[in-house]
Amino acid sequence: THTIGALAFAPDGALLVSNGDGATRLGDARALRSLELDSLAGKLLRIDPISGAGLADNPFFDGDPTSNRSKVYQLGLRNPFRFTLDPASGQVAIGDVGWNSWEEINMGGAAANYGWPCYEGGSGISIRQPYYAASAATAGACQALYQQESSVTAPVYAYDHSDGGGSAQV
C-alpha cells in the first residue's frame, strides 16, 4: 500500500525517489524489506534520471549500477510520502507517515537508516516499535538492529497522533 511518494532533483542532477515499504496490512512482516539493501521498498533512492541506474557515489554502490543496493541512498522508511532538500546542509528532510501512533520528520545524509519497522517515533530519539519487536516473524531482525542501535538515525521531530493529535495521512 505504500509506494512511490515523491520525486525531486538533487543539486547534482541526480533523481531522488521516495518509496514506501509496500506492506499490505498492519503488522505485515514484509515491512522488513525497508531494512534490506537488495530491496527497493522503504527507501530513498538516488539514481541517474536518464537510465535509472544507481550512482557510483551512492553509499551502497556495489560496482553494478543496475543492482538494487546501488540505487539506495537511505533506508528504514515506512511511507515517505514527501521530502525536500535542506538548502543549507543538503540533507534530505522526509515526512514519513507512521503506523498506529507516530508521524515523523527524518533528516539525514547518505546511508541514513531510520529503523522502520523496528523503530518508530520519538523526537531526537528512536523508540522501539513494540509490535515488530515482539512479533515472531520480525523479532529476530529487530533484535539484531537493537544490538546496533547507534546505527539508526532518530527522527528530528515526531508526534504521537494516538492522543487525538491527528494523522498526517488524513
Side-chain angles (χ1 to χ4, degrees):
T1 58
H2 309 131
T3 61
I4 301 299
L7 306 168
F9 287 99
D12 65 0
L15 180 62
L16 298 173
V17 180
S18 65
N19 192 25
D21 66 7
T24 59
R25 63 186 185 286
L26 297 178
D28 189 339
R30 290 175 286 188
L32 285 171
R33 296 180 295 193
S34 67
L35 297 172
E36 298 168 3
L37 289 174
D38 292 316
S39 170
L40 298 178
K43 310 290 187 303
L44 181 70
L45 309 175
R46 184 173 168 268
I47 59 175
D48 179 283
I50 304 299
S51 67
L55 302 173
D57 59 344
N58 277 349
F60 306 106
F61 188 80
D62 65 2
D64 176 4
T66 65
S67 76
N68 285 350
R69 73 177 43 224
S70 290
K71 300 172 185 181
V72 174
Y73 188 70
Q74 297 178 344
L75 66 151
L77 295 160
R78 180 177 183 270
N79 186 9
F81 72 108
R82 298 287 181 268
F83 68 86
T84 190
L85 293 164
D86 182 302
S89 70
Q91 288 188 329
V92 182
I94 301 171
D96 197 7
V97 175
W99 184 25
N100 283 335
S101 300
W102 294 98
E103 308 296 327
E104 299 177 355
I105 302 293
N106 293 301
M107 284 190 80
N113 178 356
Y114 301 109
W116 173 258
C118 302
Y119 291 94
E120 181 184 31
S123 290
I125 60 167
S126 295
I127 298 174
R128 292 180 182 189
Q129 210 296 331
Y131 176 86
Y132 284 99
S135 167
T138 56
C142 288
Q143 291 303 320
L145 187 59
Y146 298 153
Q147 297 297 318
Q148 307 167 20
E149 195 157 357
S150 64
S151 68
V152 175
T153 302
V156 294
Y157 177 75
Y159 72 91
D160 183 346
H161 61 75
S162 65
D163 64 359
S167 172
Q169 58 191 356
V170 175

